[in-house]
Amino acid sequence: MSEPTNECLFCRMVAGEIPPDVVRETDRTLAFRDINPQAPTHVLVIPKEHHATLGALVGADPELTAELVAAAHAVAVQEGLVTADVPEPGYRVVANTGPQAGQTVHHVHLHVLGGRGLGWPPG
């Protein structure tokens, strides 16, 4: 884990300096609505600890990685994209890692997208 910085937008949200539109929160994760949604439902799920990329998080804390994925699924259920028993209508989870993938905030985050048909391939 790297130290949170004043320059990290998501660390500032976790610290309460910038108020996100919170959807769900646990002791170790925070989920909030994206300010530039790409689908009717577009929620970002982050670990409260600062980890720059998904690979960095996996290497540092596999349990937190699992909690992050579980939080993304819980958001999808909460937002009505699936139920506990039925995987319909469905949702997509995206993790952009590195500049070629389009990562613009260097604090690992999962995008939970749904509420419309999502084509393939993306991008």
Side-chain angles (χ1 to χ4, degrees):
M1 171 180 84
S2 46
E3 290 299 314
T5 68
N6 289 338
E7 293 83 40
C8 177
L9 174 65
F10 294 165
C11 287
R12 293 179 69 201
M13 289 178 171
V14 170
E17 295 173 23
I18 298 172
D21 183 0
V22 175
V23 171
R24 185 173 191 283
E25 185 171 5
T26 68
D27 289 344
R28 299 183 75 194
T29 66
L30 180 65
F32 51 90
R33 298 203 187 281
D34 193 295
I35 61 168
N36 183 25
Q38 301 300 304
T41 299
H42 188 168
V43 175
L44 301 180
V45 184
I46 67 169
K48 290 183 176 179
E49 293 178 359
H50 183 85
H51 298 272
T53 65
L54 186 59
L57 175 60
V58 168
D61 194 336
E63 287 180 13
L64 181 54
T65 306
E67 288 178 45
L68 196 65
V69 172
H73 179 71
V75 164
V77 171
Q78 179 180 318
E79 294 290 306
L81 302 174
V82 294
T83 67
D85 301 321
V86 181
E88 293 182 12
Y91 65 99
R92 179 173 291 164
V93 175
V94 176
N96 299 322
T97 300
Q100 281 198 326
Q103 184 179 10
T104 58
V105 177
H106 299 283
H107 182 125
V108 67
H109 53 286
L110 302 180
H111 297 257
V112 178
L113 300 152
R116 67 169 172 82
L118 300 168
W120 194 260

